[in-house]
Amino acid sequence: MVLAESVHKSFGLVEVLKGIDLQVLPQEVFCLVGPSGSGKSTFLRCINHLEKINAGRLWVDGHLVGYRQKGDKLYELKDSEVALQRRDIGMVFQRFNLFPHMTAIGNVMEAPMQVRKESKAVAYERAKRLLDRVGLADKINAYPSQLSGGQQQRVAIARALAMEPKLMLFDEPTSALDPELVGEVLDVMRGLAEDGMTMIVVTHEMGFAREVGDALVFMDGGVVVESGHPRDVLTNPQHDRTKAFLSKVL
C-alpha cells in the first residue's frame, strides 16, 4: 500500500528525513515510534504530499505521490491532481481541526459534498452511520465546543472515513487528550484494524502498538533505527538507541 525509497526531506538547512526506506502492506497496522523531532510526523505528512520530499520516491497503492515520472525525470503534479490522490488517504491530526461552526454531522458530511459532489441526503446517511460506528450516535447535532477532546477526535476519525479512504494516517491522535479519554479513541482505531483498514500510526501508546500493530519502526534523527514485529522490537530491541528510548517510555 505504501512504499518509500530513500525519502529525504529538509527544512532549510535542517535535514529532517535522511533516507527513509519502508513498506506498508495492505490491511497492515504500521506503527511509527520514536522521540520528538525524529521525523515521524514529517514522514507521515510526506505520504499525502502535505510536505514535498526533496529526494527519493513515495508510492501509495502503486501511484507515485505528488509527482509524475517520465524517463529519469520527475514532474510535480498540479494541485488538482494532488487533491485527487489525497481523496484516497484519510488523516487524523493531533489537534482535531474540526470546523467549529459546524455540528458533528456537518463536519463529517462536508468533504463528500464539496469534493465528491454527493447529495446532502447521501452524505447525511453515511455520516450518521460513521458517527454511530465511533460511538457518537447521540452527538450528531453537537458542536465541537460541546464535545470532550476524545469525542472531538472520534468525530475527526469519522470525518476522515467519510471519504472512504484506502489508507488512514494517524499523527499522535491521542497526544492532546486527557489520559482518561485516550482509551475511547484507541478503541475506535482497534475496530478499524479489525475491519482491515490499512493504517500508519505515529504514536507513543506502546500498549496499542504491541496489541494491534502488525509492524513497528523506531525512528531517531531522521532515519529508521530498527524495525520488526511490535512485540519483538518492544520486548527484545537490538539497537542501543532503541533500548535507551524504550527504557524511558515502557
Side-chain angles (χ1 to χ4, degrees):
M1 181 62 76
V2 179
L3 177 63
E5 289 185 353
S6 194
V7 170
H8 288 73
K9 173 63 183 176
S10 296
F11 295 100
L13 298 176
V14 179
E15 192 175 19
V16 178
L17 301 177
K18 302 175 182 177
I20 302 295
D21 294 285
L22 55 79
Q23 63 176 4
V24 181
L25 301 177
Q27 300 189 329
E28 193 168 55
V29 179
F30 192 97
C31 297
L32 285 171
V33 304
S36 297
S38 59
K40 309 180 303 296
S41 293
T42 296
F43 177 69
L44 207 68
R45 292 170 65 85
C46 289
I47 292 172
N48 62 3
H49 208 58
L50 287 175
E51 300 291 353
K52 300 175 185 179
I53 64 176
N54 300 114
R57 302 282 191 277
L58 257 174
W59 288 267
V60 172
D61 198 26
H63 300 286
L64 199 59
V65 174
Y67 298 91
R68 181 184 297 107
Q69 185 164 350
K70 288 186 179 178
D72 294 332
K73 289 190 175 182
L74 287 181
Y75 299 88
E76 190 167 359
L77 297 178
K78 298 174 183 175
D79 289 346
S80 59
E81 294 173 303
V82 173
L84 281 174
Q85 287 188 332
R86 286 201 190 113
R87 287 171 57 167
D88 293 329
I89 305 171
M91 188 159 184
V92 178
F93 299 88
Q94 294 179 39
R95 297 288 172 180
F96 326 118
N97 294 339
L98 297 177
F99 298 117
H101 63 290
M102 293 183 181
T103 60
I105 201 162
N107 268 278
V108 179
M109 292 168 61
E110 184 70 3
M113 289 171 58
Q114 294 297 330
V115 178
R116 288 187 167 174
K117 307 305 180 187
E118 285 185 353
S119 70
K120 188 173 183 180
V122 169
Y124 181 88
E125 285 305 316
R126 183 192 294 108
K128 196 173 173 184
R129 284 198 311 273
L130 287 170
L131 287 169
D132 182 47
R133 181 179 181 182
V134 299
L136 293 173
D138 60 335
K139 299 291 185 182
I140 64 172
N141 294 315
Y143 288 89
S145 62
Q146 298 170 315
L147 300 173
S148 70
Q151 290 170 335
Q152 289 185 61
Q153 192 62 294
R154 285 186 279 156
V155 174
I157 293 172
R159 180 176 63 177
L161 291 172
M163 291 296 286
E164 299 180 333
K166 299 174 182 174
L167 170 68
M168 284 284 284
L169 309 177
F170 292 88
D171 188 7
E172 298 187 28
T174 60
S175 65
L177 300 179
D178 292 334
E180 61 187 10
L181 301 177
V182 167
E184 61 192 52
V185 173
L186 294 181
D187 284 344
V188 171
M189 293 169 67
R190 284 189 185 92
L192 292 179
E194 289 168 4
D195 291 344
M197 174 63 73
T198 309
M199 299 158 60
I200 303 179
V201 185
V202 173
T203 185
H204 293 297
E205 300 291 337
M206 299 302 162
F208 174 85
R210 185 188 295 109
E211 294 165 30
V212 183
D214 299 300
L216 181 144
V217 157
F218 171 68
M219 287 179 63
D220 189 34
V223 299
V224 172
V225 176
E226 190 165 344
S227 62
H229 191 277
R231 287 185 183 139
D232 295 337
V233 177
L234 295 176
T235 59
N236 189 28
Q238 300 300 302
H239 196 283
D240 287 343
R241 182 66 188 94
T242 317
K243 293 175 184 176
F245 174 76
L246 292 177
S247 72
K248 294 183 174 71
V249 299
L250 290 178

